[in-house]
Amino acid sequence: MAADEILLHIKDSYYFEVPGWLWRHDHKTHADFPDVWVRLDPDFQMWQAKQVYHELETSGETGMPSEHDFLHDYEHWTHLPGNHGKPVKRYFAHLVEAAPEGNLAWAKAGEEMTTLHSVAEYRAAKDIEWTPTKIQGYNNALSGKILIPQLPGTKLRNLYQKESGFAISKFMVIEVFVAIIMAIIFIAYARRVSKGQLPKGWFWNLIDVFIVYLRQDVAKANIHHGADKFVPILWTLFFFILGCNLFGLIPWMGSPTGSISVTVTLAVAVLFIGMGAGAKEFGALGVWMNLVPGMELPTAISIVIKPMMFVIELLGLLIKHAVLGVRLLANMVAGHVVLLAIMGLAIEIQSLSGVIAWPVGLVILIGCVMLSCLELFVAFLQAYIFALLSALFINSETHSH
């Protein structure tokens, strides 16, 4: 298995993957396949290119090459690095960009016409048939992939990228599921506490340990005053990140915190919370002035030094929150990459020798188990560190220097 194929398993996607025998596809014709799969098919793309060319020809566009030259150039373009699977719409966009002054009227018109000849029209065509070999190959490739239903109007470019609209990805589904689990657990916990009931049983005692520790040793220990109002935020950050991290250890799932869009969004949320609380404490202007440490300086020197300090502190504020998101991402991705590299090594050895010798297989198995245990520890550790650093940043933004 190639390195890029291995890394696809830790990327966000628009499907959940399970063993092929659990979710088999048995489509009979091209009309049965999902839109995103048909759109990536070379026959559909060539059919669309021909339809658009004929439409342009009928509309009387001038300056067009012959149909043979157009189709030949388009096919050659799709074989260039980075263009594999790209539809004819992107080829038209390429022609417009490459043309002198970007002024190819027929290419601009063709780019708009691609929406007229869609997958729905291709399905309805009576003279189109895919060979049994292609259908069987596509069924095998899709087996084990549970495609996530998308909202009307959403178009996927492939199983990892969207073309337009609001696309629901695997990580989004997992995040919502984590949020629902948190809501169920903590509503039940809050009801127990409101009735004065002590936690009973290993599960509720475990939850209580985390909650009390985060309140006493993370929030109150690092936020000098007014810590209680930030405790729910830190609880939410810790348990949400922990839940997302733990999902990465479940087979065929994934860790949303392995996506930079998730981790940076969490870091930006911490920044807004801290600066919002600071604005409430010092005022809309005072929160920015508070970035500069109080210094007793002569006026002449203060005029020069304080603006420089403000710029440095502002950059430091943005950088440390950016690093907060990136370090969570890096720590969560690193373990998955190492684990997948070891698994890829096992697959490579098997492909070369036909079978994995039992001593090698045993070593690989033990290594995977140990790394999984390490990832379990890291899942808790990174959630704690994120909550701890968030408390420190909020404290610095809500207190005078």
Side-chain angles (χ1 to χ4, degrees):
M1 184 180 290
D4 55 346
E5 294 174 342
I6 291 175
L7 290 176
L8 288 178
H9 292 275
I10 61 174
K11 288 181 63 176
D12 197 4
S13 63
Y14 299 109
Y15 68 92
F16 284 90
E17 190 167 19
V18 298
W21 56 270
L22 281 178
W23 193 269
R24 289 203 175 278
H25 289 265
D26 190 26
H27 302 306
K28 304 300 182 183
T29 69
H30 69 280
D32 299 330
F33 284 88
D35 284 3
V36 62
W37 204 261
V38 175
R39 203 176 291 117
L40 291 171
D41 178 68
D43 289 344
F44 165 75
Q45 293 178 349
M46 189 56 67
W47 170 87
Q48 190 181 46
K50 291 178 181 178
Q51 298 300 314
V52 173
Y53 182 88
H54 294 157
E55 191 81 20
L56 290 169
E57 198 173 38
T58 304
S59 65
E61 293 289 344
T62 59
M64 294 171 56
S66 67
E67 182 178 358
H68 175 270
D69 290 342
F70 170 75
L71 296 177
H72 178 269
D73 289 344
Y74 168 59
E75 187 174 14
H76 174 73
W77 178 79
T78 59
H79 286 85
L80 295 176
N83 293 339
H84 175 70
K86 288 186 177 179
V88 68
K89 180 176 182 177
R90 294 187 173 275
Y91 175 63
F92 281 123
H94 158 74
L95 291 179
V96 173
E97 291 176 1
E101 301 179 0
N103 189 25
L104 275 179
W106 66 271
K108 289 181 179 179
E111 187 177 4
E112 299 299 326
M113 286 180 182
T114 55
T115 56
L116 301 177
H117 304 285
S118 61
V119 173
E121 183 183 343
Y122 183 74
R123 282 200 177 101
K126 302 295 184 181
D127 57 339
I128 295 174
E129 286 189 9
W130 284 357
T131 64
T133 302
K134 175 188 278 193
I135 291 174
Q136 183 60 40
Y138 281 177
N139 279 329
N140 291 338
L142 278 172
S143 291
K145 292 179 172 63
I146 305 174
L147 301 185
I148 299 171
Q150 300 296 328
L151 299 176
T154 299
K155 182 185 289 186
L156 301 181
R157 184 183 304 174
N158 52 52
L159 295 180
Y160 299 92
Q161 296 174 300
K162 72 172 184 178
E163 187 70 36
S164 61
F166 179 80
I168 302 172
S169 72
K170 175 175 68 174
F171 286 173
M172 291 180 185
V173 175
I174 292 174
E175 286 167 353
V176 171
F177 191 63
V178 170
I180 291 172
I181 293 174
M182 288 173 59
I184 292 172
I185 291 175
F186 291 107
I187 288 173
Y189 179 85
R191 286 176 178 170
R192 284 171 172 264
V193 173
S194 65
K195 294 177 182 179
Q197 297 177 0
L198 294 175
K200 292 183 180 180
W202 69 268
F203 179 76
W204 294 112
N205 276 286
L206 179 64
I207 295 296
D208 192 63
V209 166
F210 281 113
I211 285 177
V212 172
Y213 179 82
L214 289 170
R215 183 182 62 193
Q216 295 298 129
D217 295 312
V218 174
K220 292 188 175 181
N222 295 289
I223 301 177
H224 296 159
H225 67 264
D228 285 334
K229 61 185 177 183
F230 297 108
V231 168
I233 295 168
L234 298 177
W235 281 344
T236 302
L237 286 171
F238 174 82
F239 285 104
F240 179 77
I241 292 171
L242 177 62
C244 291
N245 291 351
L246 292 177
F247 260 91
L249 298 175
I250 300 175
W252 311 303
M253 287 293 178
S255 175
T257 45
S259 169
I260 192 168
S261 59
V262 175
T263 59
V264 169
T265 299
L266 291 171
V268 170
V270 173
L271 173 63
F272 285 171
I273 290 167
M275 295 302 288
K280 189 175 180 180
E281 183 77 19
F282 304 111
L285 182 61
V287 66
W288 299 105
M289 300 302 296
N290 186 52
L291 293 176
V292 180
M295 296 178 290
E296 296 294 334
L297 296 174
T299 303
I301 298 177
S302 179
I303 292 173
V304 177
I305 295 297
K306 287 193 173 182
M308 293 173 58
M309 289 293 295
F310 175 78
V311 172
I312 293 171
E313 292 294 335
L314 179 61
L315 288 175
L317 176 72
L318 298 176
I319 290 171
K320 70 182 182 182
H321 282 86
V323 171
L324 179 65
V326 172
R327 71 175 307 282
L328 176 60
L329 169 74
N331 280 283
M332 296 315 302
V333 169
H336 296 313
V337 171
V338 173
L339 187 58
L340 288 171
I342 293 176
M343 294 170 64
L345 178 63
I347 295 171
E348 190 68 23
I349 293 173
Q350 184 179 23
S351 65
L352 293 176
S353 61
V355 63
I356 298 180
W358 73 265
V360 177
L362 181 61
V363 171
I364 291 173
L365 176 62
I366 293 173
C368 289
V369 171
M370 293 179 66
L371 279 171
S372 296
C373 293
L374 178 61
E375 281 201 82
L376 179 62
F377 169 72
V378 169
F380 282 86
L381 178 65
Q382 293 306 316
Y384 163 72
I385 291 175
F386 195 98
L388 176 64
L389 292 176
S390 297
L392 292 171
F393 294 165
I394 290 171
N395 178 70
S396 67
E397 290 152 16
T398 56
H399 294 83
S400 298
H401 295 285

PDB file of all heavy atoms in Angstrom, residues 312-325:
ATOM      1  N   ILE A 312       4.280  43.699  18.959  1.00  0.00           N
ATOM      2  CA  ILE A 312       4.910  42.431  19.355  1.00  0.00           C
ATOM      3  C   ILE A 312       3.936  41.575  20.169  1.00  0.00           C
ATOM      4  O   ILE A 312       3.802  40.368  19.942  1.00  0.00           O
ATOM      5  CB  ILE A 312       6.199  42.703  20.159  1.00  0.00           C
ATOM      6  CG1 ILE A 312       7.258  43.346  19.263  1.00  0.00           C
ATOM      7  CG2 ILE A 312       6.729  41.425  20.787  1.00  0.00           C
ATOM      8  CD1 ILE A 312       8.473  43.853  20.000  1.00  0.00           C
ATOM      9  N   GLU A 313       3.236  42.204  21.116  1.00  0.00           N
ATOM     10  CA  GLU A 313       2.298  41.455  21.955  1.00  0.00           C
ATOM     11  C   GLU A 313       1.099  40.963  21.149  1.00  0.00           C
ATOM     12  O   GLU A 313       0.595  39.854  21.394  1.00  0.00           O
ATOM     13  CB  GLU A 313       1.819  42.337  23.119  1.00  0.00           C
ATOM     14  CG  GLU A 313       2.890  42.662  24.146  1.00  0.00           C
ATOM     15  CD  GLU A 313       3.347  41.419  24.902  1.00  0.00           C
ATOM     16  OE1 GLU A 313       2.565  40.444  24.998  1.00  0.00           O
ATOM     17  OE2 GLU A 313       4.485  41.418  25.390  1.00  0.00           O
ATOM     18  N   LEU A 314       0.648  41.770  20.199  1.00  0.00           N
ATOM     19  CA  LEU A 314      -0.469  41.350  19.355  1.00  0.00           C
ATOM     20  C   LEU A 314      -0.080  40.142  18.500  1.00  0.00           C
ATOM     21  O   LEU A 314      -0.849  39.172  18.390  1.00  0.00           O
ATOM     22  CB  LEU A 314      -0.918  42.514  18.462  1.00  0.00           C
ATOM     23  CG  LEU A 314      -2.080  42.215  17.507  1.00  0.00           C
ATOM     24  CD1 LEU A 314      -3.328  41.822  18.290  1.00  0.00           C
ATOM     25  CD2 LEU A 314      -2.370  43.423  16.610  1.00  0.00           C
ATOM     26  N   LEU A 315       1.109  40.209  17.913  1.00  0.00           N
ATOM     27  CA  LEU A 315       1.602  39.055  17.144  1.00  0.00           C
ATOM     28  C   LEU A 315       1.751  37.837  18.045  1.00  0.00           C
ATOM     29  O   LEU A 315       1.404  36.713  17.656  1.00  0.00           O
ATOM     30  CB  LEU A 315       2.937  39.405  16.483  1.00  0.00           C
ATOM     31  CG  LEU A 315       2.878  40.380  15.300  1.00  0.00           C
ATOM     32  CD1 LEU A 315       4.291  40.720  14.836  1.00  0.00           C
ATOM     33  CD2 LEU A 315       2.076  39.778  14.150  1.00  0.00           C
ATOM     34  N   GLY A 316       2.274  38.058  19.259  1.00  0.00           N
ATOM     35  CA  GLY A 316       2.425  36.951  20.199  1.00  0.00           C
ATOM     36  C   GLY A 316       1.087  36.336  20.564  1.00  0.00           C
ATOM     37  O   GLY A 316       0.961  35.108  20.680  1.00  0.00           O
ATOM     38  N   LEU A 317       0.064  37.193  20.723  1.00  0.00           N
ATOM     39  CA  LEU A 317      -1.281  36.703  21.047  1.00  0.00           C
ATOM     40  C   LEU A 317      -1.814  35.803  19.935  1.00  0.00           C
ATOM     41  O   LEU A 317      -2.334  34.700  20.197  1.00  0.00           O
ATOM     42  CB  LEU A 317      -2.215  37.901  21.251  1.00  0.00           C
ATOM     43  CG  LEU A 317      -3.695  37.587  21.501  1.00  0.00           C
ATOM     44  CD1 LEU A 317      -3.878  37.002  22.891  1.00  0.00           C
ATOM     45  CD2 LEU A 317      -4.544  38.840  21.322  1.00  0.00           C
ATOM     46  N   LEU A 318      -1.661  36.249  18.698  1.00  0.00           N
ATOM     47  CA  LEU A 318      -2.159  35.469  17.565  1.00  0.00           C
ATOM     48  C   LEU A 318      -1.352  34.185  17.372  1.00  0.00           C
ATOM     49  O   LEU A 318      -1.910  33.120  17.097  1.00  0.00           O
ATOM     50  CB  LEU A 318      -2.126  36.318  16.298  1.00  0.00           C
ATOM     51  CG  LEU A 318      -3.000  37.581  16.309  1.00  0.00           C
ATOM     52  CD1 LEU A 318      -2.796  38.384  15.039  1.00  0.00           C
ATOM     53  CD2 LEU A 318      -4.467  37.231  16.507  1.00  0.00           C
ATOM     54  N   ILE A 319      -0.033  34.296  17.533  1.00  0.00           N
ATOM     55  CA  ILE A 319       0.831  33.136  17.310  1.00  0.00           C
ATOM     56  C   ILE A 319       0.579  32.044  18.345  1.00  0.00           C
ATOM     57  O   ILE A 319       0.487  30.853  18.010  1.00  0.00           O
ATOM     58  CB  ILE A 319       2.316  33.556  17.307  1.00  0.00           C
ATOM     59  CG1 ILE A 319       2.633  34.377  16.053  1.00  0.00           C
ATOM     60  CG2 ILE A 319       3.229  32.340  17.388  1.00  0.00           C
ATOM     61  CD1 ILE A 319       3.996  35.022  16.065  1.00  0.00           C
ATOM     62  N   LYS A 320       0.450  32.437  19.612  1.00  0.00           N
ATOM     63  CA  LYS A 320       0.285  31.412  20.639  1.00  0.00           C
ATOM     64  C   LYS A 320      -1.057  30.697  20.501  1.00  0.00           C
ATOM     65  O   LYS A 320      -1.157  29.495  20.802  1.00  0.00           O
ATOM     66  CB  LYS A 320       0.447  32.015  22.036  1.00  0.00           C
ATOM     67  CG  LYS A 320      -0.647  32.936  22.506  1.00  0.00           C
ATOM     68  CD  LYS A 320      -0.313  33.502  23.887  1.00  0.00           C
ATOM     69  CE  LYS A 320      -1.421  34.408  24.413  1.00  0.00           C
ATOM     70  NZ  LYS A 320      -1.065  34.988  25.727  1.00  0.00           N
ATOM     71  N   HIS A 321      -2.091  31.376  20.013  1.00  0.00           N
ATOM     72  CA  HIS A 321      -3.365  30.692  19.775  1.00  0.00           C
ATOM     73  C   HIS A 321      -3.287  29.815  18.529  1.00  0.00           C
ATOM     74  O   HIS A 321      -3.893  28.735  18.490  1.00  0.00           O
ATOM     75  CB  HIS A 321      -4.496  31.710  19.641  1.00  0.00           C
ATOM     76  CG  HIS A 321      -4.958  32.248  20.964  1.00  0.00           C
ATOM     77  ND1 HIS A 321      -4.344  33.321  21.585  1.00  0.00           N
ATOM     78  CD2 HIS A 321      -5.945  31.853  21.804  1.00  0.00           C
ATOM     79  CE1 HIS A 321      -4.953  33.569  22.737  1.00  0.00           C
ATOM     80  NE2 HIS A 321      -5.919  32.701  22.897  1.00  0.00           N
ATOM     81  N   ALA A 322      -2.552  30.268  17.515  1.00  0.00           N
ATOM     82  CA  ALA A 322      -2.354  29.425  16.330  1.00  0.00           C
ATOM     83  C   ALA A 322      -1.588  28.154  16.697  1.00  0.00           C
ATOM     84  O   ALA A 322      -1.930  27.046  16.270  1.00  0.00           O
ATOM     85  CB  ALA A 322      -1.605  30.201  15.246  1.00  0.00           C
ATOM     86  N   VAL A 323      -0.554  28.316  17.524  1.00  0.00           N
ATOM     87  CA  VAL A 323       0.234  27.157  17.973  1.00  0.00           C
ATOM     88  C   VAL A 323      -0.622  26.223  18.824  1.00  0.00           C
ATOM     89  O   VAL A 323      -0.454  24.995  18.779  1.00  0.00           O
ATOM     90  CB  VAL A 323       1.480  27.631  18.749  1.00  0.00           C
ATOM     91  CG1 VAL A 323       2.192  26.458  19.413  1.00  0.00           C
ATOM     92  CG2 VAL A 323       2.438  28.368  17.813  1.00  0.00           C
ATOM     93  N   LEU A 324      -1.563  26.787  19.587  1.00  0.00           N
ATOM     94  CA  LEU A 324      -2.470  25.966  20.397  1.00  0.00           C
ATOM     95  C   LEU A 324      -3.231  24.979  19.513  1.00  0.00           C
ATOM     96  O   LEU A 324      -3.385  23.804  19.867  1.00  0.00           O
ATOM     97  CB  LEU A 324      -3.451  26.876  21.148  1.00  0.00           C
ATOM     98  CG  LEU A 324      -4.501  26.185  22.034  1.00  0.00           C
ATOM     99  CD1 LEU A 324      -3.836  25.464  23.194  1.00  0.00           C
ATOM    100  CD2 LEU A 324      -5.526  27.194  22.534  1.00  0.00           C
ATOM    101  N   GLY A 325      -3.706  25.463  18.361  1.00  0.00           N
ATOM    102  CA  GLY A 325      -4.415  24.578  17.438  1.00  0.00           C
ATOM    103  C   GLY A 325      -3.495  23.630  16.707  1.00  0.00           C
ATOM    104  O   GLY A 325      -3.805  22.438  16.550  1.00  0.00           O
TER     105      GLY A 325
END
